[in-house]
């Protein structure tokens, strides 16, 4: 992988992490287009680095919320910030369990499986279509909602299922206010990504050689900048109920991917 390819992949990750079209799915499709021959472990390492960049962009966009949550937690009482943090923890349970128990099986999916990505994009498109038709409410995320949304996040570990699309759609279909659904969706993934990166670093799964450090850094920077732009844009789109555009996009790209897998692979 050269610098240009890394930057393009970083931009793809930054945009698609927040836009509900599956960042992992698009990264896998992009790797096939670029002819990426890396083994699944190396491919997943680059994916984790790009996800780390978008996690940082989330913290920047929601910095006021994060600061308020931290301040509330240090009050050491059962306040709004404490309850929100509890819901974030609850939402992390499904993905944490699946990630720890089936890590090797999940890594195997990141090997340019275009057919799988295509079918998963169709599912993402259906979720977005249904969510866009749902009525908006002023309902907050409950503990039960948080767990169900967490299951959606766990399923979205498959390439082609959009994490933001699955979690926001699940929230809206559960009757959660659209703005609150977007906020919860973007904040709930940050601890998981940071935890995954820390685990891989400490476990030695991620290491940077002199040969790939520059390429990784270029992809990281591109993903971070694109993530800042996409996160702000997505919040606006969710408020305006414009998810059907992305639903149509997922259906189109998913169908093309399936056709490509059947006829050209």
């Amino acid at each position: 992988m050269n610098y240009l390819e890394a930057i393009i992949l970083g931009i793809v990750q930054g945009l698609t992490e927040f836009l509900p079209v599956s960042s992992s799915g698009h990264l896998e499709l992009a790797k096939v287009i670029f002819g990426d021959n890396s083994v699944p472990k190396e491919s997943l390492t680059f994916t984790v680095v790009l996800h780390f960049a978008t996690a940082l962009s989330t913290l920047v966009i929601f910095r006021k919320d994060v600061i308020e949550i931290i301040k509330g937690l240090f009050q050491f009482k059962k306040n709004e910030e404490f309850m929100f943090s509890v819901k974030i923890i609850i939402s992390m349970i499904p993905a944490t369990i699946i990630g720890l128990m089936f890590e090797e099986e999940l890594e195997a999916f990141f090997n340019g499986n275009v057919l799988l990505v295509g079918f998963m994009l169709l599912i993402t498109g259906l979720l977005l279509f249904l969510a866009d038709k749902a009525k908006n409410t002023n309902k907050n995320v409950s503990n039960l909602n948080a767990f169900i949304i967490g299951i959606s996040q766990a399923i979205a570990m498959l390439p082609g299922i959009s994490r933001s699309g699955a979690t926001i759609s699940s929230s809206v279909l559960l009757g959660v206010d659209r703005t609150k659904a977007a906020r919860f969706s973007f904040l709930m993934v940050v601890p998981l990504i940071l935890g995954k990166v820390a685990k891989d670093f400490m476990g030695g799964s991620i290491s940077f050689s002199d040969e790939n450090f520059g390429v990784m850094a270029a992809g990281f920077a591109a993903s971070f900048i694109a993530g800042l732009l996409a996160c702000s844009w997505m919040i606006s789109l969710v408020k305006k109920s414009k998810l059907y555009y992305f639903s149509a996009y997922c259906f189109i790209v998913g169908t093309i991917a399936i056709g490509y897998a059947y006829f050209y692979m």
Side-chain angles (χ1 to χ4, degrees):
M1 184 182 300
N2 58 41
Y3 281 94
L4 178 60
E5 291 171 348
I7 290 172
I8 292 175
L9 289 174
I11 293 173
V12 169
Q13 161 64 25
L15 292 177
T16 56
E17 174 65 27
F18 299 103
L19 302 182
V21 293
S22 178
S23 59
S24 59
H26 277 72
L27 282 176
E28 292 307 299
L29 294 178
K31 289 170 188 174
V32 171
I33 293 172
F34 289 142
D36 178 26
N37 295 316
S38 61
V39 298
K41 182 177 180 180
E42 292 171 341
S43 180
L44 186 62
T45 296
F46 186 63
T47 301
V48 170
V49 169
L50 298 188
H51 276 82
F52 180 49
T54 50
L56 291 182
S57 67
T58 304
L59 292 176
V60 172
I61 295 295
F62 289 99
R63 58 190 180 278
K64 292 182 180 179
D65 298 78
V66 173
I67 291 173
E68 288 299 318
I69 291 171
I70 294 174
K71 287 181 178 178
L73 289 176
F74 276 100
Q75 292 178 8
F76 300 105
K77 60 182 181 181
K78 194 176 180 180
N79 51 25
E80 183 179 346
E81 291 76 18
F82 173 80
M83 295 307 300
F84 184 83
S85 299
V86 169
K87 293 169 187 175
I88 292 292
I89 293 172
I90 292 173
S91 73
M92 291 168 56
I93 294 174
T96 300
I97 293 175
I98 292 178
L100 292 175
M101 294 182 63
F102 302 101
E103 183 175 9
E104 292 185 2
E105 289 80 0
L106 288 171
E107 288 181 3
F109 287 120
F110 292 82
N111 61 353
N113 193 334
V114 176
L115 185 61
L116 173 65
V117 171
F119 279 114
M120 294 302 101
L121 281 171
L122 294 184
I123 293 175
T124 296
L126 178 60
L127 285 173
L128 294 173
F129 177 80
L130 294 174
D132 213 48
K133 299 297 181 182
K135 294 182 179 179
N136 195 20
T137 68
N138 293 318
K139 183 179 177 182
N140 291 313
V141 177
S142 67
N143 289 341
L144 178 59
N145 291 157
F147 185 75
I148 296 174
I149 297 168
I151 293 175
S152 297
Q153 178 167 251
I155 296 173
M157 296 171 79
L158 293 172
I161 297 290
S162 166
R163 194 207 65 80
S164 63
T167 53
I168 292 175
S169 295
S170 298
S171 301
V172 172
L173 291 172
L174 289 169
V176 177
D177 173 79
R178 292 178 184 274
T179 301
K180 295 174 182 176
R183 175 175 178 263
F184 188 78
S185 171
F186 293 146
L187 288 175
M188 67 185 283
V189 73
V190 174
L192 279 176
I193 294 178
L194 297 181
K196 168 65 176 173
V197 173
K199 175 179 177 294
D200 288 343
F201 266 118
M202 291 186 293
S205 298
I206 292 180
S207 61
F208 301 106
S209 64
D210 292 337
E211 296 179 354
N212 68 14
F213 180 81
V215 172
M216 291 282 186
F220 179 92
S223 182
F224 175 76
I225 295 171
L228 291 175
L229 299 174
C231 185
S232 300
W233 187 29
M234 185 58 188
I235 294 170
S236 175
L237 290 173
V238 172
K239 291 179 181 178
K240 298 176 181 177
S241 301
K242 300 293 184 181
L243 295 178
Y244 58 87
Y245 292 123
F246 298 104
S247 174
Y249 174 84
C250 287
F251 282 131
I252 293 171
V253 176
T255 301
I256 293 174
I258 292 171
Y260 179 85
Y262 272 116
F263 296 106
Y264 296 100
M265 295 187 73

